[in-house]
């Protein structure tokens, strides 16, 4: 960074053993202008370190979060094929996904199954809550290198399979996921993007697609473990929730599940091992009111701790890339 030009300063958090990412403080005067002037440097730092935490913007509104996100990116993309409900907000940004506050959100990258992936995730913290709620990050290349060969090799060679069931009593509706309530338009989307699909007699949508598990980062050239294999798997669900869903819809009717590319189910041990590797490489980032966190979505996975109190995060998906491959 070049503080003399932009009046930004980079330092490590006092608890840098936990965070491991740089923190940039923006001078209060003309903060958005200074953010835009430094956008290229901030992105370069995020590519090198996985993320950058920006303080001093004092983000308080959805509109302010959208303006800050646009200052850091060339395009904010619309979410398609999301996995949980979220609210569209003014300026092309979103609320964080609706996820029980007492449940952790496991490590994942955003929209790994979609035809376009955001290169950047921008998290603007309007309210951090009273307890917990930290974001954790993990380097996708280090996770890849640390996975046992017997788990990694079939995924690296053949990819992974994602199965989803929409329009049930729980889970995301197809209208919310695909942005239209026209079944013909959803079917056309699935055909265009190679998603296998069928419909139940009641109109519910079932999809199945095979995706790469390991990709090459388009900027750094590093190989990355880039998927939602553990996050969207049945064994990562709360056991009571999984038991209820299976009793209601059957093992094939879960809102989402992941498998090996040939359709073989994953064992609990495989999912536990993947999550354990994520945990070994996790960098915990406690956020304060007004903070902004810029994350390299391809090179870095993210998660969220359980929290207490009122927590509000605004999320932006920046600079879409076409589907990546190994």
């Amino acid at each position: 960074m070049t503080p003399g030009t932009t009046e930004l300063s980079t330092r490590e958090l006092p608890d840098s053993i936990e965070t491991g990412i740089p923190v940039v403080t923006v001078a209060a005067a003309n903060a958005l202008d200074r953010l835009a002037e430094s956008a290229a440097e901030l992105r370069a730092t995020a590519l090198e370190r996985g993320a950058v935490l920006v303080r001093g913007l004092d983000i308080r509104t959805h509109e302010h979060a959208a303006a800050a996100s646009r200052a850091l990116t060339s395009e904010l993309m619309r979410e398609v094929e999301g996995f949980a409900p979220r609210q569209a907000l003014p300026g092309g940004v979103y609320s964080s996904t609706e996820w029980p506050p007492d449940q952790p959100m496991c490590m994942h990258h955003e929209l790994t199954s979609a035809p376009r992936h955001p290169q950047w995730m921008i998290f603007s913290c309007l309210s951090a809550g009273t307890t917990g709620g930290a974001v954790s990050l993990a380097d996708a290349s280090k996770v890849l290198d640390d996975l046992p060969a017997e788990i990694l090799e079939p995924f690296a060679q053949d990819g992974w399979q994602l199965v989803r069931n929409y329009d049930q009593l729980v889970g995301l509706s197809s209208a919310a996921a695909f942005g239209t309530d026209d079944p013909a338009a959803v079917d056309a989307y699935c055909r265009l993007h190679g998603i296998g699909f069928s419909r139940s007699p009641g109109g519910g949508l079932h999809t199945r697609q095979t995706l790469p598990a390991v990709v090459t980062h388009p900027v750094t050239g590093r190989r990355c473990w880039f998927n939602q294999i553990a996050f969207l798997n049945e064994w990562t669900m709360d056991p009571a929730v999984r038991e209820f869903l299976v009793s209601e819809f059957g093992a094939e009717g879960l809102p989402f599940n992941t498998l090996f590319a040939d359709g073989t189910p994953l064992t609990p041990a495989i999912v536990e091992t993947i999550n354990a590797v994520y945990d070994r490489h996790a960098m915990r980032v406690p956020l304060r009111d007004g903070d902004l966190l810029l994350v390299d979505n391809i090179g870095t996975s993210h998660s969220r701790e359980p929290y207490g109190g009122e927590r509000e995060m605004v999320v932006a998906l920046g600079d879409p890339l076409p589907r990546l491959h190994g």
Side-chain angles (χ1 to χ4, degrees), residues 153-187:
E153 287 176 1
F155 288 123
Q157 180 173 332
D158 301 318
W160 61 292
Q161 193 171 113
L162 173 64
V163 175
R164 299 189 63 171
N165 289 287
Y166 302 89
D167 309 307
Q168 298 182 141
L169 296 175
V170 295
L172 203 62
S173 70
S174 58
F178 296 100
T180 176
D181 58 6
D182 179 0
V186 174
D187 293 355

Side-chain angles (χ1 to χ4, degrees), residues 179-265:
T180 176
D181 58 6
D182 179 0
V186 174
D187 293 355
Y189 176 96
C190 291
R191 292 190 189 96
L192 176 64
H193 297 294
I195 302 173
F197 69 95
S198 61
R199 291 192 175 272
S200 68
L205 177 67
H206 172 87
T207 66
R208 185 181 297 265
Q209 56 182 315
T210 302
L211 302 151
V214 179
V215 304
T216 300
H217 196 294
V219 180
T220 67
R222 299 169 68 198
R223 294 177 73 241
C224 299
W225 178 252
F226 179 73
N227 56 70
Q228 292 167 303
I229 291 170
F231 180 46
L232 297 182
N233 187 265
E234 61 180 310
W235 301 116
T236 300
M237 292 181 183
D238 179 275
V241 172
R242 179 187 176 278
E243 182 178 352
F244 167 78
L245 292 174
V246 170
S247 68
E248 289 291 318
F249 305 109
E252 300 297 320
L254 295 170
F256 43 75
N257 200 5
T258 62
L259 309 97
F260 286 104
D262 64 0
T264 301

Side-chain angles (χ1 to χ4, degrees), residues 308-326:
E310 295 297 321
R311 182 181 189 270
E312 184 176 8
M313 197 75 61
V314 175
V315 179
L317 316 174
D319 294 345
L321 299 166
R323 177 170 289 162
L324 301 172
H325 299 281

